[in-house]
Amino acid sequence: PVIEISERVDCFPDSGQKCEERGCCWKPLDERNVPWCFFSTNHGYTMESVEMASPSLFGGDIQDLSFHAEMQSNNRLQFKVHTERHHFFHFSLSLKHLFDTTMAPLVFADQYLQLSARLPSHNIYGLGEHVHTQYRHNTNWKTWPIFTRDGMHNLYGHYPFFLCLEEESGKSFGVFLMNSNAMEVILQPAPAVTYRTIGGVLDFYIFFGDTPEQVVQEFLELTGRPVIPPYWSLGFQLSRWDYGSLSEVKKTVERNRAVGIPYDVQYTDIDYMEDKKDFTYDKVKFSELPQFADYLHEKGQKYILILDPAIATSKRVGNTAYDSYDRGTEKNAWVTESDGKTPLIGEVWPGETVFPDYTSQNCIDWWVEEYELFYKEVKHDALWIDMNEVANFKKGSNKGCADNNLNYPPYTPRILDEVMYSKTLCMDAKQAWGNHYDVHSLYGYSMVLATEKALQRVFGENRTMMLTRSSFPGVGKYSGHWLGDNAANWNDIKWAIPGMLEFGLFGIPYIGADICGFFDDSSEELCRRWMQVGAFYPFSRNHNAQGYKPQDPAAYGPDSTLLKSSKHYLMIRYTLLPYLYTLFYKAHTTGETVGVDTVRAYVPDALWYDYETMERMADRKTHINMYLPADKLGLHIRGGAILPTQTPDVTTTYSRRHPMGLIVALDDNNQAAGELFWDDGDSRGIVIKHVTHAGYKEPNNLKFENITILGVPHPPKSVLFLNGLSLNLGETYLVEWELMVEDYQRFDCYPEEHADEAKCKARGCIWKPSSIERVPWCFYPQDYGYTVKTAEETDSGMTVDITRNKKYRSSGRPGSPDIDTLRVEIRYHSSDMLQFKIWDPATDRYEVPVPLSVPAAPETDENKRLYKVLITNNPFGIQVIRKNTGTKIWDSSMPGFTFSDMFIQVSTQLSSEFVYGFGETEHPTYKHDLNYHTWGMFSKDQPPGYKMNCYGVHPFYMGLENTADAHGVLLLNSNAMDVTFQPTPAVTYRTLGGILDFYMVLGPTPEMVVQEYTTLIGRPVLPAYWSLGFQLCRYGYANDKEIEDLYRDMRAAGIPYDVQYADIDYMERQLDFVLNPEFKNLPHLVDRMREEGMRFIFILDPAISGNETHYPAFVRGKEADVFIKWPKHLSDEIVWGKVWPDYPNVTVDESLDWDTQVELYRAYTAFPDFFRATTATWWHQEIQDFYENTMKFDGLWIDMNEPASFVHGTVGGKCLGDQLLENPPYMPRKTKKTILLFIKTLCMNSEQILSDGKKVRHYDVHNIYGWSHTKPTYDALLNVTGKRGIVVTRSTYPSSGKWAGHWLGDNFASWDQLYKSIIGIYKHTLNMFFGITLGSHFTGADICGFFNTAEYEMCLRWMQLGAFYPYSRNHNGKGNPRQDPVSWNSTFTEVSRDVLNIRYTLLPYLYTLMFESHTKGNTVIRPLLHEFVNDKATWDIYKQFLWGPALLISPALDKVSRHVDGYIPNARWYDFHTAKDIGVRGQMVNMPTPMDHINLHIRGGYILPWQKPENTTHYSRRNPLGLIVALSDSGTAQGSFFWDDGEGIDYFHMQFCRSHECLYSNMLHNANVHELIFL
């Protein structure tokens, strides 16, 4: 007959007789894997004759067979071929072409049975237990032996079950052969399957289902539903073969507890036993094992131990009886030799052994009793049974095996070693169920049944857990399984996934692989990736073998990426345990299943959400490349699912007490469904507490606190958070919310006041009222903006020309014509920084003259860039995407982009609602409120106040993405502007001129954002050491005697104090560089103070009086033409203002109102144009003359440089020239939105001249006047004094920090200013983001407040807080009482002295942080989120802060507060005052805070240099140094130390590291520095 090659069924599977002798066909090919000898179509049984048509294959043929078929249910068919005599038949079965046996004959002999069937497709899954490299089988002539073995080919379990998915319909069916003999299954290309088994009968079950899930349910209906494990067994578990001793086990437990790894179960392997004997323990190395379970239970953990079946025949230690063996022998509990009497002797771990016959009732009784006795001796929580294939280190027995047809059958399947008894028992051994030949693969199954009885005896109604290595269909009713002794390699991590999927088919959903591998040492990368994926194994256990290094997460170190990544994903696991537990419940009740940087992954045809970003995936039904960096795992939720969650903890004991939640992932139809199963987690019998069985009362009074809904129609992230719900578990609720689909997508077309429909439509916009407060009623159409005309892309960036969509009329602002054609340039500066610039190529528009540091060459290698950039065409927009997460961190493809002469607007969607930065304005919280808030940026002499634009301008923000990645965005534009946030989330920029020049840095951590940003704008200056000391100032000193008395009293009180200031009082009539006669002795006092180790700083304002008869500063300035004038076409006159200087020969009546005083007494003042080189020369000369001829100083304080004026625009109030510059078509949000730009400053049409000679309008450069003032001042200070010193400036712009520090301005003496000062410092940490030595480096608020009278308690708490400002200065305003530390009482003095002594003790650490900020861009004052960004609890914290990474400050900020609620991040922390480990982490703590106390904590793992304090740093720097070594959980610590002369350029820098009881130091740089002594 003609038989297709793919349909040949092998007639010659062994190397025995010849093909023709078997009556088969011979036809060789050029491929050896295709059978050359194959059955003919007439070989087999017929119904008409009892004779076979062909000769025997292996002898022992059975001619009389019975066929029985029964449809047992609508979806299950059984057919059985066996030897009972009924009638004879030609056997063939065709089930609608699903399982067609007509392709080849049936062979049925005593020890060889074969059946082949054609299948409908190649989609075949299952058969085991083996290592399959893929889930779907390869049908190209693959042979899979099935016979339980402790081996690496045919493995531990016996599963002749497969599932087939039909090609056309997508329906499924399953085939199960109920046969326990050794067999092999062949898959061939027909597609077809051939079974060859060497005993028993052919008992097939066919299961039908519309889906694979239904097929599995039918299979488990037959074999038994899986057990539901106890809740705690879903937690993470640790094990190791050969810890060596219980103390090593406990060390492992403690180090993993210490780092806060979620971790429920600890195992001991056979090393706990005495000589590896069951039911014993080593009373030397594990002497305290009976108490070990209690030790674990104290922390909510569980203990599991191992038992093997093999029982030693030898005596115990001391030649005492091994009672378990003796009692088993008395009960005849052992497998016997072929005589049925003599126990079969083999060898396993304990040496010579016998093997329990678990099919014997005597053995079962013995096993139960022995286990009960042992449990009374060593308490534990569950049992792990191993080596039950059954494994034997001898071949068959210690006598070998007899030569007979059981040990050497006519045909041996291709099993391990192709010897039946290899690594197990002789096949002729006897058990109660029959010959071992027949029941070998049931050994593990029978042991499971016996063990289940033992567990029931011991644990009663409490649910426990069993874990078995060998299994057979039905074992899942009682036990879980692990995939056996894998190896630490990349193949095994991959192959574990098909292995687990197969056991899901086999009815054992409680399945997992040994995480990080059992054999061999795992690399850190492999173990990290394995811990990530293993966090989602149903059975999640890290386990390895004797002789290899520890691989538990904590073994890699507390700061390792592996540990942090493991903890992150285990926290996700524990969050989702209610969902996983519900899946196990459904598996138990219905049979449902549970279950390199770039990864090629398939996205099935459904809606999917990224678990971590919560973003909807755009791809479906396709392969995609997922970029997964070292600490990331691809994790996605399917739309349409509802997942119950719970706040995680370190064990399930604790997590089960926490609030619950739901993740609702909407599908394409905006629908989702899910279930929750909940019980006590331990009881047997499963008392159902299910959504359909409401009324269950949870003892922990659990509530659903939050619901997260993914996919709501709300861009861009489409996530809705419902929090604070307090829904009781077990009760029924209807949760409703109102969501306006399109309202939050509106971008305001009429941000000015008094919008109406007519005005709106006049701009071509849409008018539609909304019921949501603050949502704009006038908004842009979707295509409003620009469209792409041409685009060119290179390796280094893009150039795009865009044109305005003239479908819409002008942007509607008279005097500001729209610019129709723009150029866009995108530059890939580095792997983590890009720039996008938009300008008018036809016009020379103003650009900010602040130089930035960009790389000389762009990053042209796309693989190195953290980002990719896309352009949208209509409307034009730029999208910046973080490649490793897919998060859009910038998307300006929003409607409304406008570019006109005096009004530019662009909107972008944000990556999340977590946005920080923009300033300088007072913010009530660190994180921005995105509910339609607008913040103006226009430098102004404005004390801090809500939504009031203050002294500096910093158009920079940091965004935190939901993945905990961070990025930063700078708009390099110095015109007046505002930014508006909206809940989309989105931000809209509106600026009054210049161009759009954006720079973006990609982090990805907050600290790296700062580092990258300061690389761009310049690192902060390193201040003089003495400037870190405490400082005193007051506006209103009447004379030098007041300063002298203050100095005397501070010294007498012993309060550390380094710097004294003089405000404008020291000047004659507030004239720069002129000494007030009332302060004639000040130069002498300053000299004396400096000799005694003090430093002195005086103030300078930029405004110079022009009403003096002889004032050298003005005369020389006018001669050098340094003052700001009108444009020559308008006038050649100076633009006069009025500031502090008074007219000559006047007596000021301060009782008059302010405006009258200004009019009557204030002189005309001129404003130096500091952009000019001539101005810098003049300024330097005036400072030098004052230093050399009037008074020495150590630092300079520059104020009023916004620039501030007490008249509006100019004297007389009439600004010359174009009035649109003073009152532009759009007025940004300022102190009062309606006031003109020139209020309290210069006219915008004033002319300034850049260093290159280019003339610019003050309109464009107003916001960088303070910036231009700062560098000439710093240069003059360095040159005149020859020392570093410090400059403190009020008005700032990005990069001002290269030269100066900053204080937060003229604040108020009120309690709210304490916490707002932390926010301000944070923002100037960001603004070290702002590029200033602000916050990160050198900023602070006026301690106790500048305006108003300070209260005692408030000032005392502020002194405690201010002791930890980088810039620590007590300063207040004229007319208010003194508030310095010696102006109150002795208690105040003592508290101030004590807290400042702590500051001075830690100054070496603070100075080192300053150095690292100066050289690396690190922050000094650090928000908690910078160190613990993966802990989202830190993202909203703004009432605590860190010095660097290691000192946590939690001040009292409220009136009458004697306790502080502070967050303790997840690390080891020591109380600074007591040096004790506080023992808590990752939670809020109520800290006692009496009036004389501030809460300080040192982080474990860090070394802090310190020095004995003195009254000034001049003396403290002479004292010996010391180190605070705060050990981490692993007993290590590290730190660094920077030292120099405090004001020069040479320095000394070293690192410290503490490990293994030793402290090491490493010299990084050494210069000619005085000898240092460490105590």
Side-chain angles (χ1 to χ4, degrees), residues 193-417:
V193 59
T194 295
Y195 295 87
R196 299 189 190 112
T197 180
I198 60 172
V201 300
L202 297 176
D203 191 3
F204 283 95
Y205 292 83
I206 312 291
F207 311 94
F208 308 94
D210 290 333
T211 65
E213 198 75 0
Q214 290 179 6
V215 170
V216 174
Q217 291 170 9
E218 287 294 332
F219 174 56
L220 299 183
E221 187 69 25
L222 175 71
T223 61
R225 305 286 189 215
V227 65
I228 182 167
Y231 194 95
W232 56 260
S233 70
L234 304 185
F236 178 60
Q237 312 184 25
L238 280 179
S239 179
R240 191 176 177 209
W241 172 26
D242 200 6
Y243 282 108
S245 67
L246 188 60
S247 63
E248 186 62 29
V249 180
K250 287 185 174 181
K251 189 182 296 183
T252 301
V253 173
E254 288 299 331
R255 70 173 172 243
N256 283 278
R257 283 177 177 174
V259 295
I261 281 283
Y263 160 40
D264 266 82
V265 182
Q266 179 62 51
Y267 286 71
T268 54
D269 207 322
I270 55 174
D271 43 300
Y272 81 85
M273 301 176 181
E274 177 188 292
D275 295 333
K276 303 180 180 67
K277 289 181 171 68
D278 274 0
F279 309 117
T280 70
Y281 70 95
D282 187 330
K283 296 189 177 180
V284 176
K285 296 179 180 178
F286 287 79
S287 59
E288 297 178 358
L289 193 64
Q291 294 81 42
F292 184 58
D294 292 336
Y295 159 80
L296 290 173
H297 293 169
E298 288 176 358
K299 298 291 185 180
Q301 294 172 301
K302 305 293 183 181
Y303 171 44
I304 296 178
L305 51 74
I306 195 172
L307 289 176
D308 290 341
I311 301 298
T313 61
S314 58
K315 300 285 189 180
R316 293 190 62 178
V317 171
N319 203 33
T320 58
Y322 182 22
D323 294 336
S324 295
Y325 167 72
D326 293 339
R327 288 190 288 264
T329 301
E330 291 174 5
K331 286 184 175 288
N332 296 318
W334 316 132
V335 174
T336 68
E337 296 177 359
S338 59
D339 62 7
K341 298 178 181 178
T342 307
L344 185 147
I345 304 296
E347 180 181 324
V348 196
W349 294 117
E352 183 178 278
T353 59
V354 293
F355 300 89
D357 177 10
Y358 295 104
T359 66
S360 157
Q361 187 59 48
N362 286 344
C363 177
I364 294 171
D365 294 342
W366 164 81
W367 183 251
V368 171
E369 290 164 7
E370 294 301 318
Y371 180 69
E372 185 177 24
L373 289 171
F374 184 58
Y375 177 80
K376 291 177 180 177
E377 189 173 16
V378 179
K379 295 290 190 295
H380 51 277
D381 301 287
L383 191 58
W384 167 26
I385 54 177
D386 194 7
M387 306 294 288
N388 53 349
E389 292 72 32
V390 57
N392 183 4
F393 296 169
K394 296 286 188 179
K395 287 194 173 183
S397 75
N398 61 358
K399 299 176 182 178
C401 296
D403 185 358
N404 56 45
N405 64 355
L406 294 181
N407 293 318
Y408 300 92
Y411 178 75
T412 300
R414 297 176 193 176
I415 59 176
L416 179 69
D417 300 332

Side-chain angles (χ1 to χ4, degrees), residues 6-25:
S6 65
E7 297 196 358
R8 294 182 180 184
V9 175
D10 201 348
C11 180
F12 201 76
D14 63 337
S15 57
Q17 306 166 23
K18 294 180 180 179
C19 185
E20 289 86 350
E21 293 177 3
R22 293 183 174 174
C24 294
C25 304

